[in-house]
């Protein structure tokens, strides 16, 4: 198997300043809040784009297949920067790369509102994918550093902030639609909010020095099989999540025939439950165990998607999308936690493998849905993704590392 994650050859170990190690809890909490706001800013940018996809689709007169092709620009951008993003974060520091990448992530979002032709939208999404990937790696590195300072698991709360931003972004999208504001004005307003969050919090990002050691590694290497299976579970989960981000609005507009601003109702209900599930997920796992929670989560994903397919009406589909939101909420944070404790692979390498495979599902799922929808209809494409939840439950029962 080709090891695309050759950046993991650069072994890094963070060295914190004494000011961090001896800091009061109040200062550590300020650091945690600052990192949370960068997660929030990233989630708000992506949710803002997702909330206006149906509007932009209509504005540019795009078919489902054409939209699917254009959406491939985001994973293409990620693939272009993927071989370099980890190295950039290691060499220049996650705090610097996070500020740089999120700044251009905002500019890329604004450029999407300027698109008047499909090629312009594609180019904007390409850069949206490039800077999104850079910001994703940098902010998660900051999350790991912060977690080490607190000596306890808090990564799920960071992902919860990203999801909370998605919910708020959906509400803002409803308001912008109700006010008949164009996507450009909408994107500029949100961009200004994110820039303000950056100005208020960038000073509190962790500045950790890293020692870099290179090791020779074969171009073709076989990763730990357990990590691959965890990555596949993450792929199925994030494909479902990505479809909800990019296609839930279109589904409510074209299939449910939701009136006016209610086209975002499905997306909003999904984000509410996903955000809530991530904030309370750690408690559920502590009480019932990882395996039962993940199995039930997979079943909920399938049940929600199949319900929306067989009962394409406003209220049943809204409730169905809530089930999908709950289902996807705990799976990815849980597999990241399991991967980081792998006994044979260093945490950094393990997380790189799992997150890379998982995130491909998030980026490639929505474009594939466009092609399936063009051939067989949007309801059939949602049913196709619904099978992924059953696959998750099955794979969880077979992997010994999940207890």
């Amino acid at each position: 198997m080709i090891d695309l994650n050759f950046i993991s050859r650069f072994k890094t170990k963070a060295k914190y300043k004494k000011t961090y190690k001896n800091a009061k809890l109040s200062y550590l909490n300020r650091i945690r809040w600052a990192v949370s706001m960068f997660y929030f800013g990233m989630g708000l940018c992506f949710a803002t784009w997702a909330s206006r996809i149906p509007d932009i689709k209509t504005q540019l007169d795009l078919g489902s297949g054409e939209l699917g092709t254009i959406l491939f620009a985001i994973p293409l951008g990620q693939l272009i920067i993927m071989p370099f993003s980890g190295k950039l974060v290691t060499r220049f520091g996650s705090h610097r790369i996070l500020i740089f990448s999120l700044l251009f992530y905002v500019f890329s979002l604004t450029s999407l509102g300027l698109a008047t032709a499909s090629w312009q939208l594609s180019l904007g999404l390409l850069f949206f994918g490039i800077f999104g990937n850079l910001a994703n790696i940098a902010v998660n590195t900051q999350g790991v550093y912060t977690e080490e300072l607190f000596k306890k698991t808090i990564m799920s709360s960071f992902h919860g902030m990203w999801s909370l931003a998605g919910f708020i972004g959906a509400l803002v999208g409803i308001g912008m639609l109700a006010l008949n504001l164009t996507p450009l004005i909408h994107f500029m307003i949100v961009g200004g909010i994110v820039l303000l969050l950056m100005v208020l919090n960038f000073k509190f990002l962790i500045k950790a020095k890293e020692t870099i050691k290179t090791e020779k590694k074969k171009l073709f290497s076989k990763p730990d099989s357990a990590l691959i299976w965890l990555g596949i579970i993450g792929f199925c989960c994030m494909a479902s999540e990505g479809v909800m981000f990019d296609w839930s609005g279109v589904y409510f507009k074209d299939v449910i025939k939701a009136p006016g601003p209610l086209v975002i109702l499905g997306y909003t209900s999904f984000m509410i439950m996903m955000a809530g599930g991530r904030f309370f997920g750690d408690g559920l796992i502590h009480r019932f165990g990882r395996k039962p929670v993940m199995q039930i989560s997979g079943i909920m994903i399938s049940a929600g998607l199949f319900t929306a397919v067989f009962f394409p009406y406003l209220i049943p589909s809204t409730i169905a999308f809530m089930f999908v939101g709950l289902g996807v909420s705990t799976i990815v944070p849980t597999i990241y936690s399991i991967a980081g404790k792998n006994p044979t692979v260093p945490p950094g390498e393990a997380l790189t493998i799992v997150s890379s495979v998982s995130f491909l599902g998030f980026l490639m799922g929505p474009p594939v849905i466009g092609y399936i929808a063009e051939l067989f209809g949007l309801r059939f494409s949602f049913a196709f993704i619904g099978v992924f939840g059953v696959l998750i439950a099955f794979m969880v029962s077979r992997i010994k590392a999940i207890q």
Side-chain angles (χ1 to χ4, degrees):
M1 184 172 184
I2 299 176
D3 180 11
L4 295 176
N5 304 299
F6 62 84
I7 298 307
S8 61
R9 300 174 198 175
F10 294 84
K11 309 295 185 185
T12 64
K13 185 176 181 181
K15 290 186 176 181
Y16 299 96
K17 295 181 179 179
K18 291 183 179 179
T19 52
Y20 291 127
K21 293 181 178 180
N22 302 324
K24 295 181 179 180
L25 181 60
S26 59
Y27 185 71
L28 294 181
N29 284 331
R30 184 62 182 89
I31 292 174
R32 181 177 179 178
W33 176 255
V35 175
S36 296
M37 287 299 97
F38 275 86
Y39 273 92
F40 185 90
M42 287 183 59
L44 189 61
C45 284
F46 192 86
T48 298
W49 150 247
S51 70
R52 298 307 292 260
I53 288 176
D55 194 34
I56 292 176
K57 178 177 181 288
T58 302
Q59 182 177 304
L60 299 183
D61 193 24
L62 302 173
S64 296
E66 189 176 5
L67 178 61
T69 300
I70 291 173
L71 291 177
F72 260 122
I74 296 180
L76 178 60
Q78 187 205 18
L79 290 173
I80 289 173
I81 198 63
M82 188 181 294
F84 311 103
S85 51
K87 184 176 181 180
L88 289 170
V89 168
T90 300
R91 184 172 297 275
F92 297 104
S94 58
H95 60 292
R96 295 190 183 95
I97 295 298
L98 179 54
I99 294 169
F100 167 81
S101 57
L102 187 54
L103 179 64
F104 281 93
Y105 196 47
V106 169
F107 290 157
S108 299
L109 171 67
T110 305
S111 73
L112 300 178
L114 294 170
T116 57
S118 57
W119 70 267
Q120 294 173 346
L121 182 61
S122 299
L123 184 62
L125 289 175
L126 180 72
F127 285 103
F128 199 60
I130 289 174
F131 293 113
N133 177 263
L134 267 177
N136 179 60
I137 292 178
V139 78
N140 276 292
T141 302
Q142 284 286 312
V144 170
Y145 290 165
T146 308
E147 192 173 62
E148 290 180 3
L149 289 177
F150 275 83
K151 306 298 182 182
K152 64 179 181 179
T153 301
I154 58 174
M155 186 65 74
S156 181
S157 67
F158 288 140
H159 286 263
M161 290 300 294
W162 193 93
S163 301
L164 179 62
F167 166 60
I168 294 176
L171 289 181
V172 172
I174 292 176
M176 296 296 179
L177 284 171
L179 295 173
N180 293 318
L181 295 180
T182 65
L184 177 60
I185 295 176
H186 180 183
F187 295 166
M188 290 180 66
I189 292 173
V190 170
I193 293 172
V194 175
L195 290 178
L196 178 61
L197 291 176
M198 292 176 63
V199 170
L200 294 175
N201 293 285
F202 79 95
K203 290 183 179 180
F204 296 94
L205 293 177
I206 294 176
K207 303 171 183 65
K209 294 182 179 180
E210 295 178 345
T211 57
I212 305 175
K213 297 179 181 180
T214 59
E215 294 181 0
K216 293 183 179 180
K217 185 180 271 190
K218 294 180 179 179
L219 180 60
F220 296 92
S221 61
K222 183 179 180 181
D224 186 285
S225 60
L227 296 176
I228 294 300
W229 283 111
L230 289 174
I232 294 173
I233 291 174
F235 179 96
C236 292
C237 177
M238 296 195 76
S240 304
E241 184 178 335
V243 166
M244 295 302 291
F245 269 106
D246 286 2
W247 286 99
S248 59
V250 177
Y251 193 86
F252 261 61
K253 183 176 182 179
D254 295 347
V255 177
I256 308 300
K257 306 297 183 184
L262 291 181
V263 296
I264 307 181
L265 183 59
Y267 173 81
T268 306
S269 62
F270 165 78
M271 289 304 307
I272 290 174
M273 302 311 289
M274 185 173 74
R278 284 183 169 168
F279 282 116
F280 296 105
D282 288 336
L284 292 174
I285 291 173
H286 179 73
R287 182 173 182 179
F288 300 106
R290 291 191 179 106
K291 183 168 289 188
V293 171
M294 292 181 71
Q295 288 175 320
I296 293 173
S297 296
I299 297 300
M300 291 180 70
I301 292 172
S302 292
L305 289 169
F306 287 137
T307 298
V309 169
F310 291 113
F311 300 96
Y313 309 106
L314 187 65
I315 294 178
S317 294
T318 300
I319 296 173
F321 282 18
M322 288 182 177
F323 272 85
V324 179
L326 275 178
V328 303
S329 64
T330 58
I331 292 177
V332 170
T334 302
I335 65 172
Y336 282 6
S337 176
I338 297 170
K341 298 174 183 177
N342 186 285
T344 61
V345 182
E349 290 189 43
L351 291 171
T352 300
I353 295 170
V354 174
S355 63
S356 297
V357 176
S358 300
F359 205 65
L360 284 176
F362 185 78
L363 294 173
M364 297 184 68
V368 170
I369 284 300
Y371 290 116
I372 297 176
E374 189 76 14
L375 294 173
F376 304 105
L378 201 53
R379 289 175 67 185
F380 182 88
S381 63
F382 268 59
F384 173 79
I385 295 296
V387 176
F388 284 10
V390 177
L391 290 176
I392 290 172
F394 175 77
M395 287 186 286
V396 167
S397 66
R398 297 287 180 173
I399 298 178
K400 296 181 179 179
I402 302 176
Q403 300 297 332

